[in-house]
Amino acid sequence: MARLEFAEGAFSRLRVPVRAEDAEPGRDILTDLDILAIDVDPRLRVSRSTLECKGEKGEAKEADRLFCLAGLRQYLAIQRAVLVRPTVSRRGRALARRLDIGIMDISTLQHRESAHEWLPETFAHLGGEACLAAEARTDSQLKGLPELSSDVITFLRHDALLASPYAILGALGNLGRAIERRGVLPEPTGQVIAGHALIALLLAALQDAAQLDLVPADVLRRRTERALTAGNPDDDHILDVLNRADDLVQFMMDRVHRAYIEAGAARQEIHPIKLREIIETPPGFLSSYIDLVERFRTNPEVSRHILRTAELTCFDALLDGDAWTQPAFDHLFTAEHQGLLLAAIATLGQVATKQIAQRLSPIANISFDRSAGAAPDRHTRAHKGGTQSNLF
């Protein structure tokens, strides 16, 4: 099902954990999403779907699954939920309509799949052997890297796919500071984390690019700046509190100075650091990030596919996989896609240190000279092993 979602235009991942906002240590994972699919429309509006694939036959647990899925969709505030099971009853279809949940049986899935036989069976995070091996090795290496916060790494690998742009940018900034303390990361951890960081940045930029339909770039910049400094793009109350704190500190200092002067001492000019100035100072990468957002918005037909291009590039091509070379992916490897990826990597270097960006530098050597070409026969099964890699 995830392969089908990818074939029809969505970026898809398997087994994405769903976390509680406030929970005891070790009890924060509520469940996971069998499939999370992210669609980007021609105006760069991002929508998310969860697809649950269950094997119960007949009407067993059918209603329970639908009610659970309806609650999960509401909890995550996502736009679409689909239940996939071997069979679907009349009662199940009626209940699904009432709950506004999609429901699909295996025969329907197989019919839809027949139109995408040319897509590789496995690739990247959808069963790609090289990707899964690199992720497993990264899990082992991270146990010996206590300097890297597990919360930040987990966020970038999973939670960023459901997060707001400013939450993603904040996590990338934290990653950069952690790497500066740690130094050089071993492989494949460095490359895997860099891949997840790039996809998180792309998702943040796409979500912000969609706002440019109605919001001028300078307004978006101010909102992003406020979110990164005060924690909320729409609330600057904390800045007012800091202003009052600065005024109080200045008042107390003036009173002390007056007392010293009355006692015959000379006044010493001391200029305390303003709390508001510390908090309100925008991050240095903000201009580069807004430029990337505007670049996405000016080329939406390419930008809307950039998540899938990044997935295949970072977690197949760079890990010596060959599924990315299949003709089914030709439309994702044009020169314009490469230009957007390289621009995003340059911005990532400012947000999360150059070391992270350098792990992705081989992308400049990948051949992005393909195009959609003539209408293919999508009913022909993909050749196992792909075509000859032309990475370098």
Side-chain angles (χ1 to χ4, degrees):
M1 189 67 215
R3 173 179 170 271
L4 179 61
E5 288 289 304
F6 198 98
E8 295 184 349
F11 169 89
S12 51
R13 284 279 180 86
L14 303 173
R15 294 175 288 278
V16 176
V18 177
R19 301 182 189 280
E21 294 182 356
D22 187 14
E24 297 79 7
R27 305 288 295 177
D28 59 326
I29 297 181
L30 300 172
T31 182
D32 64 21
L33 306 179
D34 287 350
I35 302 168
L36 174 66
I38 300 177
D39 286 281
V40 183
D41 74 9
R43 295 174 66 177
L44 303 187
R45 292 172 296 197
V46 174
S47 62
R48 296 174 173 86
S49 305
T50 178
L51 301 98
E52 297 296 298
C53 304
K54 305 303 178 187
E56 302 97 355
K57 296 181 180 179
E59 296 187 28
K61 296 186 178 180
E62 185 180 50
D64 291 345
R65 297 294 187 192
L66 288 168
F67 281 122
C68 179
L69 197 52
L72 190 60
R73 182 186 62 182
Q74 182 178 359
Y75 178 76
L76 296 175
I78 58 181
Q79 291 74 25
R80 172 175 167 254
V82 177
L83 176 64
V84 185
R85 61 196 318 273
T87 59
V88 177
S89 69
R90 289 177 58 189
R91 185 185 71 168
R93 291 195 185 280
L95 182 57
R97 285 194 297 270
R98 179 74 178 270
L99 297 173
D100 193 24
I101 300 292
I103 192 166
M104 182 190 305
D105 60 21
I106 291 298
S107 63
T108 302
L109 172 59
Q110 291 173 340
H111 178 71
R112 288 178 60 189
E113 278 191 304
S114 66
H116 298 286
E117 287 289 339
W118 74 327
L119 203 73
E121 288 292 330
T122 59
F123 51 89
H125 281 96
L126 303 188
E129 292 183 6
C131 175
L132 299 183
E135 290 280 11
R137 179 62 178 152
T138 296
D139 287 336
S140 298
Q141 291 180 341
L142 285 172
K143 295 176 182 177
L145 301 172
E147 302 89 343
L148 294 182
S149 168
S150 60
D151 290 341
V152 172
I153 300 302
T154 297
F155 179 90
L156 292 175
R157 292 171 96 179
H158 305 294
D159 302 345
L161 301 177
L162 294 165
S164 64
Y166 66 86
I168 292 172
L169 293 174
L172 290 173
N174 290 335
L175 173 67
R177 288 185 284 273
I179 290 176
E180 286 178 341
R181 293 192 298 268
R182 170 63 178 81
V184 178
L185 296 177
E187 292 294 2
T189 294
Q191 192 162 301
V192 167
I193 291 176
H196 285 294
L198 177 62
I199 287 176
L201 177 65
L202 293 173
L203 182 56
L206 285 169
Q207 292 179 94
D208 276 336
Q211 295 188 52
L212 294 182
D213 271 357
L214 302 173
V215 177
D218 59 332
V219 174
L220 175 63
R221 180 191 175 100
R222 287 196 298 271
R223 284 173 50 80
T224 304
E225 181 179 321
R226 190 181 301 128
L228 294 174
T229 55
N232 190 321
D234 302 308
D235 186 2
D236 57 2
H237 175 68
I238 185 65
L239 300 180
D240 293 335
V241 172
L242 293 175
N243 266 339
R244 292 173 180 268
D246 288 332
D247 292 342
L248 176 61
V249 170
Q250 189 63 52
F251 171 78
M252 297 300 296
M253 288 186 61
D254 288 343
R255 190 167 71 173
V256 170
H257 281 307
R258 284 197 300 270
Y260 273 109
I261 291 172
E262 291 171 359
R267 180 184 178 97
Q268 298 294 318
E269 292 297 333
I270 299 176
H271 302 285
I273 298 175
K274 299 290 186 180
L275 295 176
R276 174 162 181 159
E277 291 178 0
I278 295 175
I279 298 297
E280 201 175 18
T281 301
F285 63 78
L286 195 54
S287 293
S288 178
Y289 174 72
I290 297 299
D291 287 345
L292 179 66
V293 170
E294 292 185 293
R295 185 166 181 169
F296 279 5
R297 191 64 190 87
T298 58
N299 194 356
E301 280 304 313
V302 174
S303 301
R304 62 186 299 229
H305 301 297
I306 201 67
L307 289 173
R308 292 188 297 154
T309 300
E311 174 75 0
L312 290 166
T313 302
C314 295
F315 296 105
D316 199 278
L318 292 185
L319 297 177
D320 296 326
D322 54 19
W324 69 282
T325 64
Q326 289 284 348
F329 300 132
D330 282 352
H331 64 294
L332 300 176
F333 285 87
T334 70
E336 290 178 298
H337 288 90
Q338 186 177 39
L340 289 180
L341 281 185
L342 294 178
I345 291 169
T347 301
L348 183 63
Q350 297 186 41
V351 181
T353 75
K354 292 182 178 179
Q355 183 187 157
I356 284 293
Q358 287 169 353
R359 299 303 175 95
L360 301 174
S361 60
I363 290 177
N365 299 318
I366 293 178
S367 176
F368 277 78
D369 59 356
R370 295 147 70 181
S371 63
D377 181 3
R378 294 181 174 85
H379 298 272
T380 301
R381 185 175 294 277
H383 296 294
K384 191 171 183 179
T387 60
Q388 181 68 33
S389 170
N390 85 83
L391 177 57
F392 297 105

